[in-house]
Every structure is written in structure tokens, then in C-alpha cells.
């Protein structure tokens, strides 16, 4: 790899981290198509590099969320049992399966991500009601950083959460993404966790989940250090810049731009999948 | 719980920063001399690190990143032990067990 190529992959990853931080995505959904479509890397190399990058962004963001007490550590660790098993299975399958299926699945996940991005989201959904919960230790409380109010909530539907987390884990190990697009709505809607806590807890789980998937790839010699290095450097830089810019930019236009990007990219991924590259 | 949060946060930050430094050093060495022997995965890693091979330095940074979440699980497990929360000690151990299994599966 030439220094120019290295720099270009780092630049692409910086953009992925930046956009990811602004839109609440891990960046994996941009890094995988970036590496395969722009830099002609093998799909499995791209998935492995993306998984490692996702660990970096998740761990970096978690340092802040955990300090702010937004993360429900017990809930996260309980669901991690399911996400890590899923990621192990997903990673093992990804290594053996033909790349064309990975391309097609990835395109489907991208389209789903775009759809969740542009659809109207009702974040004012009433959470925490009076119903008694049996999972007392899982209940959470945090001070909303914007309103300053203390928010207390009761965690519901843990079995549903476990099953959904297993699915999110499989997706993560199979495709090299964090799986937040599955876990955040799952926790928010089914488990009645307020959106801020759901985002922080999902992010918290992503490090352990992606590490399980990445360990399968790494032990098998599928993590290419030279492709992974610029991805990690870039995505950490980009996520940092994105966090700084977050309050200053209007994300509406960005979401629309992302939806257009996804349509073009998903089309390319489908073409690759059908040609069996 | 606040102390637990600080410890977990500190473990994650230490892991990410250490990993980033190693990956940066390895990358700079590699760009300085691109005719290096390739080293991926676990085999030859220690040998490569001792010879300060750029590939292996980057690879070591990646290993640190892979182990950072595991270290975080251990840190949480210890804090659950201090609280005598046996259920969550077991959960932490189970998560670590699955991560170990993932590494074994990768080795085949």
C-alpha cells in the first residue's frame, strides 16, 4: 500500500467517523462500502477492518456516556450475552460464506438504515409508567444533559431484548457494523428505555460485540493491519470532529444527503453481489 | 456506582489511546520502509514485535483494541464483586467466556 492510498483510506474513514457521529451511526455502514467500492478491498477484509474501527469509536464514545451516567451498565452487560454469541456466529459464517451474499445483505441493511434515518421518529413516546417491574436491578436513572431533569425508567420485555440483541450481534459479526440501528429502536420501543439511555447503552454494548466478531476474524488471520490502521486512525479523528460539530450543524440536510448516498451505494453493492465479486 | 463508572471509563480511554499510539507508530514505520514482511493474526506476532516490525506493531495496536472491551468487562465484574452482586459477576464471566470462545472459533 502506498502512502497515498493509506492517506485516502484514512480520509474516507474520517468522513465515515464524522458523518457517523452526526447521524448516530457507528461508521461501519460507510467504511465497508468505502473499502470495497472505492479501494477494491475484499469484502471480508473490509468487514474485519470495519469491526476493529467500530470497537475504537464505540469505546471512545463510551468513555463520555459512562461518565455522564447515561449508560445502563447492568442492562448492557445482560444483553451482551446475546450480542457476543450472535457476533461469534456471524463472524464465523462471514468467513466461510460467499462474498456475494455479504454484499446483498449489506445493501439491505444500508437501505434499512436510510429508511430509519428519514422516517418520522416519535421520540416523545411516553416511557416509565407505574407498572411494577421484576427486574429492579436493571432500572435506570440519569440526569438529562439538556433539560437537567432526572429521568427514571423501568426496563420491560427483557426476553424480547435478548432475542433482538442476538439478531443485532449476528448482523454485527456478519457485516462489520455496530448494530445500533437494531438495538436503539429495540430498547426504546420494546424495552421502554428512554432514547438517550438507549443510545448510550447500545453504544456501550457495541465494543464487546464487535470485539467478539473481530476476534474470530483476527485469529483466522483475516484482519489486515495495513488496511485496518488508516481506518482506525481516520474514524477516531472523524468521530471526534463530528462530536464537536454536532451542536453547530443542522442534521436534516445531512440525513437527506445520507439517504441519497445510501441509495447509490446500495445499488453498487447489489451489482457486486449479483456479479459474485 | 459512580466510582465504577470512572474505572470503566478510564479502562476504555487507556485502551483506545494506547492502541492508537501503537497503530500510529507502526504506520509511520511502515510508510518509511514499505518492503516489510507481512504479519497477520497471532502467528509470528511476538517475534515481529521483538524485531520492531511495522506490521506487528500495528497488529499489537489492534490486539490492544480487541482486548479493551474484555478489560472493561473484567473491570465491571470486579465492581460487581465488591457489591457482592453474584448474578452480575456470573453475567460478566459469561460474556468473557463467549469472547474467549470467539477467539477459539477463529483459530479453528
Amino acid at each position: 500500500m502506498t502512502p497515498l492510498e493509506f492517506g485516502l483510506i484514512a480520509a474516507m474513514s474520517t468522513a465515515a467517523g464524522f458523518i457517523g457521529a452526526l447521524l448516530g451511526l457507528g461508521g461501519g455502514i460507510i467504511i465497508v462500502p468505502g473499502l470495497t467500492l472505492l479501494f477494491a478491498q475484499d469484502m471480508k477484509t473490509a468487514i474485519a477492518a470495519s469491526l476493529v474501527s467500530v470497537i475504537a469509536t464505540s469505546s471512545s464514545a463510551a468513555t463520555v456516556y459512562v461518565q455522564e451516567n447515561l449508560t445502563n451498565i447492568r442492562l448492557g452487560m445482560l444483553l451482551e450475552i446475546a450480542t457476543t454469541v450472535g457476533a461469534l456466529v456471524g463472524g464465523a459464517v462471514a468467513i466461510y460464506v460467499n462474498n456475494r451474499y455479504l454484499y446483498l445483505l449489506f445493501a439491505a441493511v444500508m437501505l434499512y438504515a436510510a429508511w430509519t434515518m428519514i422516517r418520522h421518529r416519535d421520540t416523545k413516546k411516553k416511557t416509565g409508567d407505574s407498572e411494577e417491574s421484576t427486574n429492579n436491578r436493571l432500572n435506570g436513572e440519569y440526569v438529562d444533559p439538556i433539560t437537567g431533569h432526572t429521568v427514571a425508567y423501568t426496563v420491560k420485555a427483557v426476553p424480547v431484548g435478548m432475542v433482538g440483541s442476538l439478531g443485532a450481534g449476528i448482523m454485527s459479526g456478519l457485516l462489520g457494523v455496530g448494530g445500533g440501528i437494531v438495538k436503539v429502536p429495540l430498547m426504546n420501543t420494546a424495552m421502554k428505555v428512554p432514547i438517550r439511555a438507549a443510545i448510550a447503552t447500545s453504544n456501550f454494548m457495541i465494543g464487546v460485540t464487535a470485539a467478539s466478531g473481530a476476534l474470530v476474524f483476527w485469529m483466522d488471520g483475516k484482519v489486515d493491519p495495513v488496511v485496518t490502521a488508516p481506518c482506525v486512525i481516520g474514524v477516531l479523528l472523524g468521530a471526534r470532529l463530528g462530536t464537536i460539530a454536532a451542536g453547530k450543524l443542522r442534521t436534516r440536510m445531512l440525513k437527506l444527503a445520507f439517504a441519497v448516498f445510501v441509495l447509490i451505494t446500495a445499488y453498487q453493492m447489489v451489482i457486486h453481489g449479483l456479479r459474485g465479486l | 456506582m459512580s466510582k465504577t463508572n470512572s474505572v470503566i471509563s478510564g479502562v476504555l480511554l487507556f485502551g483506545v489511546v494506547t492502541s492508537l499510539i501503537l497503530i500510529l507508530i507502526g504506520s509511520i514505520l511502515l510508510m518509511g520502509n514499505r518492503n516489510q514482511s507481512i504479519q497477520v493474526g497471532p502467528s509470528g506476532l511476538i517475534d515481529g514485535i521483538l524485531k520492531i516490525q511495522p506490521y506487528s506493531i500495528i497488529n499489537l495496536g489492534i490486539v490492544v483494541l480487541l482486548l479493551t472491551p474484555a478489560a472493561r468487562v473484567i473491570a465491571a465484574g470486579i465492581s460487581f464483586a465488591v457489591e457482592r452482586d453474584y448474578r452480575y459477576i456470573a453475567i460478566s464471566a459469561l460474556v468473557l467466556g463467549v469472547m474467549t470462545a470467539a477467539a477459539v472459533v477463529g483459530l479453528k
Side-chain angles (χ1 to χ4, degrees), chain B residues 59-80:
Chain B
N59 213 356
L60 178 63
I62 292 169
V63 171
V64 171
L65 205 49
L66 294 181
L67 295 183
T68 296
R72 184 274 275 169
V73 174
I74 294 170
I78 291 170
S79 78
F80 293 136

Side-chain angles (χ1 to χ4, degrees), chain A residues 1-4 6 52-53 55-56 58-60 62-71 73-75 77-78 80-81 84-85 88 92 95-96 135 137-138 204-226 228-230 232-233 236, chain B residues 1-2 4-6 8-10 12-14 16 19-20 23-24 27 30-31 34 38-43 45 54-56 58-59 62-63 65-70 72-74 76-77 80 83-85 87-88 90-92 94-95 98-108:
Chain A
M1 180 177 293
T2 63
L4 177 66
F6 190 95
V52 177
S53 311
I55 303 171
S58 155
S59 302
S60 171
T63 60
V64 180
Y65 287 138
V66 170
Q67 282 286 16
E68 288 181 349
N69 214 8
L70 288 170
T71 313
I73 294 175
R74 278 193 167 79
L75 174 61
M77 295 199 63
L78 179 64
E80 276 164 14
I81 297 171
T84 49
V85 169
L88 187 167
I95 286 175
Y96 290 102
N135 307 297
R137 304 222 72 159
L138 284 179
F204 184 69
M205 291 154 64
I206 285 171
V208 169
T209 309
S212 294
L215 273 166
V216 179
F217 282 91
W218 189 81
M219 282 290 187
D220 197 36
K222 293 277 192 300
V223 176
D224 185 334
V226 188
T228 309
V232 171
I233 296 167
L236 278 173
Chain B
M1 204 58 187
S2 168
T4 305
N5 289 17
S6 306
I8 287 176
S9 188
L12 291 173
L13 190 63
F14 180 79
V16 172
S19 161
L20 184 61
I23 290 174
L24 280 171
S27 300
L30 184 69
M31 290 303 132
R34 282 186 281 130
I38 294 168
Q39 191 269 312
V40 295
S43 69
L45 175 62
Y55 262 91
S56 300
I58 296 174
N59 213 356
I62 292 169
V63 171
L65 205 49
L66 294 181
L67 295 183
T68 296
R72 184 274 275 169
V73 174
I74 294 170
F80 293 136
E83 294 174 29
R84 296 186 185 280
D85 185 341
R87 191 172 173 174
Y88 277 85
I91 287 171
S92 305
L94 200 53
V95 172
V98 178
M99 293 182 84
T100 311
V104 173
V105 167
L107 259 185
K108 271 176 266 179

